[in-house]
Amino acid sequence: MNFVDLWLTRSLSMCLLLQSFVLMILCFHSASMCPKGCICSHTGGLNVSCSNANLKEIPKDIPPETVLLYLDSNQITSIPNEIFKDLHQLKVLNLSKNEIEFIDEHSFKGVAETLQTLDLSDNQIQRVHKNAFSKLKGRARIANNPWHCDCTLQQALRSMSSNHDTASNVICKTSVLDEHTGQALLTNTNDANFCKKTTDYAMLVTMFGWFTMVISYVVYYVRQNQEDARRHLEYLKSLPSRQKKPDEADDISTVV
Ligand SMILES: *[C@@H]1O[C@H](CO)[C@@H](O)[C@H](O)[C@H]1NC(C)=O
Ligand SMILES: *[C@@H]1O[C@H](CO)[C@@H](O)[C@H](O)[C@H]1NC(C)=O
């Protein structure tokens, strides 16, 4: 009897232990599960391959230990801010052949420093935030996008650490400088400056401001003088009545 009791309690606790063990494994497994439609393999770090997976958006459950992430050839239209922020080991991010339209300031927050290769080629990108690439250390492919060349884009490309060959692949689909439409946007100092127009504009505004100030001062001065002249005239008119008593002054001077 006693033995059976002991055996029962033991097996019960064993059962519970086994159950929690299984649960733990399940939890652990789901934490690093492969996102739906992707293939995960270990080839020099976790390789998450979601190419050609009909994705409309970037999966939110990408394992944090991912080193290579292939999201190319899908229908992704945007990169939500900070979506990659937990992927601290990410080296390769391929977003080529999607429908991305805009790159925001925090699109690559958390991975910009570790990324060695970023592929954004063959998308629908026209514009980027001026700091979109500023933290990026690695190489970026951004060719084959319908770029709108303006000051912001030039600033964004100038802020990239390895921008030279990147910028030469940027062909302006549209441009604020008409002669650059259909041309490559280069960021050398002796190339077209897309930001110059705005400085000229700023200078014009400043000069106009000064000019207005000077003019208003002149107008004010002339008016004030007119007032003074009028007062002076009135004073002069009132003089003859005073001139009637010059003897008073003479008296004083003789006293002194
Ligand atoms: C990552 O996985 C994909 C799909 O399994 C494979 O085609 C690709 O070559 C892998 N990449 C590397 C760098 O091993
Ligand atoms: C990204 O994917 C595209 C399309 O599959 C491919 O042509 C390109 O070579 C890839 N880029 C990188 C850096 O692996």
Side-chain angles (χ1 to χ4, degrees):
M1 192 69 183
N2 238 353
F3 179 72
V4 174
D5 258 2
L6 195 72
W7 183 79
L8 262 176
T9 40
R10 276 221 175 154
S11 63
L12 200 70
S13 56
M14 276 301 276
C15 243
L16 280 171
L17 205 73
L18 202 75
Q19 204 181 13
S20 50
F21 195 61
V22 165
L23 270 174
M24 226 168 74
I25 285 184
L26 270 178
C27 277
F28 193 75
H29 189 69
S30 73
S32 56
M33 225 163 63
C34 202
K36 199 164 160 275
C38 308
I39 304 163
C40 295
S41 58
H42 282 271
T43 44
L46 183 59
N47 171 359
V48 178
S49 176
C50 316
S51 312
N52 274 308
N54 279 318
L55 297 177
K56 301 264 187 302
E57 53 184 50
I58 297 169
K60 290 181 181 66
D61 52 350
I62 298 164
E65 66 270 28
T66 304
V67 176
L68 311 164
L69 179 55
Y70 296 93
L71 290 165
D72 58 281
S73 315
N74 285 293
Q75 291 116 47
I76 298 165
T77 54
S78 67
I79 306 174
N81 275 335
E82 305 191 10
I83 184 125
F84 301 116
K85 74 173 189 327
D86 296 323
L87 312 183
H88 300 300
Q89 300 172 41
L90 197 65
K91 285 185 182 156
V92 175
L93 175 56
N94 196 339
L95 284 161
S96 176
K97 296 185 181 161
N98 276 287
E99 284 148 35
I100 299 162
E101 289 170 2
F102 181 72
I103 309 292
D104 212 344
E105 183 173 17
H106 301 300
S107 290
F108 303 113
K109 189 165 184 175
V111 294
E113 289 87 355
T114 56
L115 268 185
Q116 291 169 358
T117 307
L118 171 64
D119 199 336
L120 290 168
S121 59
D122 294 285
N123 272 282
Q124 294 301 320
I125 309 168
Q126 292 183 24
R127 291 160 205 274
V128 296
H129 187 279
K130 77 170 161 51
N131 297 328
F133 303 128
S134 62
K135 300 242 167 63
L136 220 58
K137 298 274 182 292
R139 280 173 165 271
R141 287 192 198 175
I142 56 174
N144 290 331
N145 280 287
W147 292 108
H148 174 72
C149 292
D150 62 0
C151 181
T152 311
L153 181 62
Q154 197 164 41
Q155 282 175 328
L157 296 181
R158 279 184 175 162
S159 74
M160 286 171 96
S161 50
S162 66
N163 67 11
H164 199 79
D165 56 19
T166 306
S168 59
N169 289 327
V170 171
I171 309 290
C172 311
K173 174 112 186 278
T174 54
S175 170
V176 289
L177 301 178
D178 285 339
E179 69 272 22
H180 256 79
T181 306
Q183 303 283 313
L185 177 142
L186 285 163
T187 51
N188 287 340
T189 39
N190 48 354
D191 285 322
N193 188 356
F194 286 81
C195 302
K196 205 168 166 251
K197 268 198 176 163
T198 49
T199 18
D200 283 355
Y201 183 71
M203 199 134 100
L204 209 73
V205 166
T206 319
M207 272 170 70
F208 183 74
W210 276 106
F211 191 66
T212 318
M213 263 166 69
V214 168
I215 291 287
S216 30
Y217 182 72
V218 166
V219 167
Y220 172 79
Y221 185 79
V222 165
R223 279 209 179 165
Q224 194 73 13
N225 272 11
Q226 266 179 346
E227 187 85 351
D228 276 356
R230 196 175 55 80
R231 262 194 240 134
H232 195 70
L233 216 69
E234 265 169 24
Y235 171 73
L236 284 179
K237 273 183 194 164
S238 68
L239 270 185
S241 57
R242 276 197 188 183
Q243 273 172 349
K244 275 178 187 169
K245 342 166 184 168
D247 14 333
E248 271 179 25
D250 277 355
D251 285 351
I252 292 165
S253 57
T254 42
V255 169
V256 173

